[in-house]
Amino acid sequence: MSDSKPAEQFFDAAIGLLQRVRDEETENIEAAGTLLADTVAAGGRLFAFGAGHSSLAAQDVVYRAGGLALMNLLAVPGVVGVDVMPATLGSALERVDGLASAVLDSSPLRADDTLVIISLSGRNALPVEMAMSARGLGARVIGVTSVAYASETTSRHVSGTYLKDHCDIVLDSKIAIGDAELTLDTIPAPFAPASTVVTSALLQAVMATAAASLAARGIEPPLLRSGNVDGGHDWNSRVFEQYGDRIFYRR
């Protein structure tokens, strides 16, 4: 066992995963960022969805200083975070057939929009059905998942498929089954998950790519600025005014 401290081991593990994603997902990140830029340029809208802790990465790209103002959270009641009581209800709802279709039917998502779906395992009914239904509406889907789960776990969707099977672009987070990077002889279970760190970094790389892609076309990226810098509120008000018909978190 390594003589380094657990904190150092975790940082090393997270850095290693980030390096793998940077080196192995370059083309997919470029494709995902380009798709977002294509959607913005064509007048489409952007949405992000994640259940449980996967929702953290989705929330990180919505109404975010330095981020695209057009990224909206596609929320499913009861599954967005651990604020629902009991917290285990959120996990149970991820396995409910028909929930995703019902949510999409009442959402603003439409053809030619792009939906980012984040699901570490990609095996539950909710993200699989969400991807299938969104594509059925004519939207494009970017999936962020650990592809390894598809070869080592059983799908919980009636089709036997996984999120990765219903996406236009798949971003593989490389997270190992179980999402725990460290083990110790004195602790009976693996611990220290890194999926939030890696998935958030993946998505911010996609957002950066999208912004640069828009700029390369002569389109000013609809970026938000921090409200804690001078002029930030005025800047954001201008963006909200220009793109108000594609921003749903202000309504």
Side-chain angles (χ1 to χ4, degrees):
M1 190 176 75
S2 173
D3 292 330
S4 60
K5 296 179 179 179
E8 294 171 344
Q9 293 177 36
F10 176 76
F11 280 121
D12 287 344
I15 290 169
L17 285 164
L18 289 170
Q19 289 176 329
R20 280 193 64 197
V21 166
R22 181 195 62 188
D23 295 341
E24 299 174 19
E25 294 298 304
T26 301
E27 291 184 7
N28 293 329
I29 291 170
E30 185 71 25
T34 301
L35 176 53
L36 294 187
D38 290 344
T39 304
V40 172
R45 294 86 63 83
L46 308 178
F47 297 87
F49 166 76
H53 285 92
S54 290
S55 72
L56 296 175
Q59 294 177 59
D60 190 49
V61 295
V62 175
Y63 188 45
R64 187 70 163 85
L68 293 174
L70 272 59
M71 184 61 70
N72 299 279
L73 186 68
L74 185 63
V76 177
V79 306
V80 173
V82 295
D83 56 334
V84 63
M85 294 297 176
T88 51
L89 175 62
S91 298
L93 289 173
E94 288 187 65
R95 299 191 288 272
V96 174
D97 292 325
L99 179 58
S101 296
V103 168
L104 287 181
D105 285 345
S106 60
S107 81
L109 185 82
R110 66 186 185 191
D112 300 323
D113 291 344
T114 295
L115 171 61
V116 179
I117 300 177
I118 303 140
S119 174
L120 179 60
S121 72
R123 69 189 295 225
N124 286 311
L126 184 57
V128 174
E129 183 184 331
M130 183 78 72
M132 295 173 70
S133 298
R135 294 181 87 186
L137 292 171
R140 279 70 59 91
V141 175
I142 298 169
V144 188
T145 187
S146 172
V147 173
Y149 274 82
S151 61
E152 300 182 42
T153 65
T154 302
S155 170
R156 288 175 173 153
H157 188 260
V158 64
S159 67
T161 60
Y162 298 79
L163 171 61
K164 73 175 186 62
D165 299 317
H166 305 283
C167 299
D168 297 278
I169 300 166
V170 175
L171 299 171
D172 184 2
S173 64
K174 318 294 181 182
I175 300 295
I177 306 296
D179 192 18
E181 295 300 319
L182 302 184
T183 58
L184 278 177
D185 294 341
T186 54
I187 299 178
F191 59 103
S195 61
T196 304
V197 173
V198 176
T199 303
S200 292
L202 252 175
L203 285 178
Q204 291 299 346
V206 170
M207 298 301 142
T209 301
S213 179
L214 286 167
R217 308 175 197 199
I219 301 172
E220 180 181 327
L223 297 170
L224 294 174
R225 299 193 70 179
S226 171
N228 296 312
V229 300
D230 291 342
H233 287 299
D234 291 339
W235 173 284
N236 292 341
S237 293
R238 177 179 65 82
V239 174
F240 291 148
E241 177 69 22
Q242 183 176 355
Y243 292 98
D245 62 331
R246 291 192 263 174
I247 297 173
F248 300 96
Y249 50 81
R250 297 185 70 238
R251 301 180 184 178

